[in-house]
Amino acid sequence: MMNYFDYAASTPVDAESLRIYQTVSEEFWGNPSSLHDIGGKAQNLLTKCRETLAAMLGVPAKGIYFTSGGTEGNHLALVTLAMSRRKKGKHIIIGGAEHSSLHSSAGFLQDLGFSVTKVPLDSKGLINIDRLTASISDQTSVVSIGHVNGEIGTIQPLHAIKDLLKSRDILFHSDMVQSFGKIDLTEFTSLVDSFTISSHKIYGPKGVGSLYINPALGVAPMIPGQTHEDGFRGGTVNLPGIAGFVTAAGSHIESFATSHYQNLRTVFLTQLNDRLQGLYTLYEGPLHTQLPHVIGLGIHGIEGQWLMLECNRHGMCISTGSACSAGSQDMSKTLQSMGVSHRAGKEFIRISFGRDTRTEQAVALAHLLSDIHAAHTSALT
């Protein structure tokens, strides 16, 4: 049996979410855009899902658009906001360690004549506010900084960023995929003009997510003439997935227990330190800026990709960072942005815990990592 430590990449689908998915597939199969009664029944459920999710997030339902996940949401958000403000200026700023979807969206905008500045993280994995401040010009129209880093779990200072932007007529987007369900977002959703969340990070079905854009902005859709999601997205909505997503969101937000994850983190790092003290580097922020369920580290002298495969061979699933860039030979964007050397960056692994992770599993993983290190070291001598 595999022991899974990659919950930041994806989670199993919650049983109740799956049940709702099936029920909606069987009973609400009409197209919500159809005008007959079967379509109307589906439309009513879609509206209810939108209102329920909006209430959880503390935002108006009119600003919620359902998407296929975080990647599509980020594409739609950054391009839509940038295009809607291009008369103000064609300069956008993103964090250097953003999800790959925001880097690709920024590249798309560069091809359209926008200039892009990527602001690095400091040595603790937090956005460098001084560098962000220095990057702003009269032409800056959009800033995009993710709420929680998906590779090391640091929580970015959205309040400080908002204070910096609020008097400058600059739109603020945040990728909240990794913070949704782990932090009460109602404190943060009012700070931003748009944000994205995803279903499969919180025990919901894959292929579903949501983008919020403040309806008071009155921005136009990226592609005109689309008939679904108030014109913001083409294609018939995935109503079973949306219902499963909202169901999972409700139960996960209520059940997230920080103490469970803090205990797992403490146990794992204590065990690792007992066996590999001075032989690994832990990448984390100060306590109040760190989500406990994500651990980013590098074991000295062992390439992360090889270590991940060795763990897999022994029944333990870990990762080398964001699943959306897995398989690429580049080092982690997060570590690159933090100024970590290429050699140290190649050693990076990510461990992420879920609600079903048990203490003994965390202990076993720490023991396995030290055993692999010992075997690797002896093979070299």
Side-chain angles (χ1 to χ4, degrees), residues 34 48 63 69-70 77 87 107 211 218 232 253 268 289 308 310 313 335 349 352:
S34 298
K48 178 68 176 168
K87 288 181 180 173
L211 159 67
F232 265 87
I253 286 170
F268 172 79
T289 66
M308 181 266 290
E310 278 297 288
R313 200 164 64 83
L335 269 59
I349 58 169
S352 47

Side-chain angles (χ1 to χ4, degrees), residues 78 92 94 101-111 116 118:
L78 195 64
I92 62 172
I94 68 170
S101 57
L102 285 155
H103 285 273
S104 59
S105 299
F108 175 75
L109 288 166
Q110 277 182 307
D111 290 343
V116 177
K118 297 180 181 181

Side-chain angles (χ1 to χ4, degrees), residues 46-354:
L46 180 61
T47 298
K48 178 68 176 168
C49 287
R50 201 183 310 278
E51 291 170 349
T52 302
L53 185 61
M56 283 182 217
L57 294 163
V59 297
K62 187 170 171 52
I64 293 278
Y65 304 101
F66 289 108
T67 65
S68 64
T71 291
E72 185 193 15
N74 284 332
H75 288 327
L76 288 174
L78 195 64
V79 176
T80 299
L81 295 183
M83 296 299 284
S84 73
R85 289 293 186 271
R86 63 188 182 276
K87 288 181 180 173
K88 192 250 178 185
K90 298 180 81 172
H91 175 237
I92 62 172
I93 299 171
I94 68 170
E98 296 300 296
H99 186 267
S100 57
S101 57
L102 285 155
H103 285 273
S104 59
S105 299
F108 175 75
L109 288 166
Q110 277 182 307
D111 290 343
L112 295 178
F114 285 77
S115 62
V116 177
T117 302
K118 297 180 181 181
V119 179
L121 303 184
D122 63 21
S123 61
K124 295 293 185 183
L126 300 172
I127 200 78
N128 189 319
I129 294 290
D130 290 340
R131 292 283 290 273
L132 177 58
T133 305
S135 298
I136 294 172
S137 75
D138 292 342
Q139 295 297 304
T140 308
S141 55
V142 185
V143 168
S144 178
I145 307 291
H147 191 190
V148 166
N149 180 276
E151 295 187 309
I152 64 171
T154 45
I155 305 168
Q156 302 302 328
L158 298 193
H159 285 282
I161 297 167
K162 177 63 175 178
D163 288 344
L164 180 64
L165 301 180
K166 64 185 176 187
S167 60
R168 301 177 190 250
D169 186 31
I170 297 171
L171 298 180
F172 185 15
H173 170 68
S174 187
D175 176 349
M176 295 187 174
V177 166
Q178 291 288 353
S179 56
F180 182 48
K182 284 85 175 175
I183 297 173
D184 179 3
L185 289 191
T186 55
E187 179 189 342
F188 301 98
T189 54
S190 61
L191 301 176
V192 298
D193 297 293
S194 73
F195 62 85
T196 42
I197 57 176
S198 182
S199 167
H200 74 108
K201 308 289 189 184
I202 56 157
Y203 301 85
K206 290 179 178 59
V208 195
S210 180
L211 159 67
Y212 171 79
I213 297 180
N214 186 342
L217 293 176
V219 298
M222 186 171 90
I223 299 173
Q226 300 184 108
T227 54
H228 297 276
E229 289 302 278
D230 201 25
F232 265 87
R233 181 176 187 261
T236 304
V237 295
N238 176 7
L239 187 56
I242 290 166
F245 169 31
V246 174
T247 301
S251 61
H252 188 63
I253 286 170
E254 290 171 9
S255 67
F256 188 81
T258 305
S259 58
H260 165 68
Y261 295 97
Q262 192 59 61
N263 177 60
L264 289 168
R265 185 184 189 90
T266 301
V267 166
F268 172 79
L269 291 176
T270 300
Q271 293 286 326
L272 196 67
N273 207 42
D274 285 348
R275 287 161 174 77
L276 292 176
Q277 187 170 13
L279 298 173
Y280 71 94
T281 300
L282 176 66
Y283 301 99
E284 64 176 353
L287 188 60
H288 68 286
T289 66
Q290 179 68 49
L291 274 187
H293 74 295
V294 178
I295 298 174
L297 59 89
I299 295 178
H300 302 165
I302 301 182
E303 193 167 313
Q305 193 94 345
W306 181 84
L307 184 55
M308 181 266 290
L309 293 171
E310 278 297 288
C311 284
N312 187 66
R313 200 164 64 83
H314 288 87
M316 302 269 188
C317 299
I318 64 169
S319 80
T320 54
S322 169
C324 292
S325 55
S328 81
Q329 295 305 304
D330 296 336
M331 67 182 272
S332 148
K333 278 191 173 64
T334 300
L335 269 59
Q336 212 169 355
S337 189
M338 289 168 66
V340 172
S341 72
H342 187 75
R343 182 178 174 181
K346 297 291 273 186
E347 295 170 351
F348 182 74
I349 58 169
R350 180 185 68 184
I351 293 151
S352 47
F353 303 126

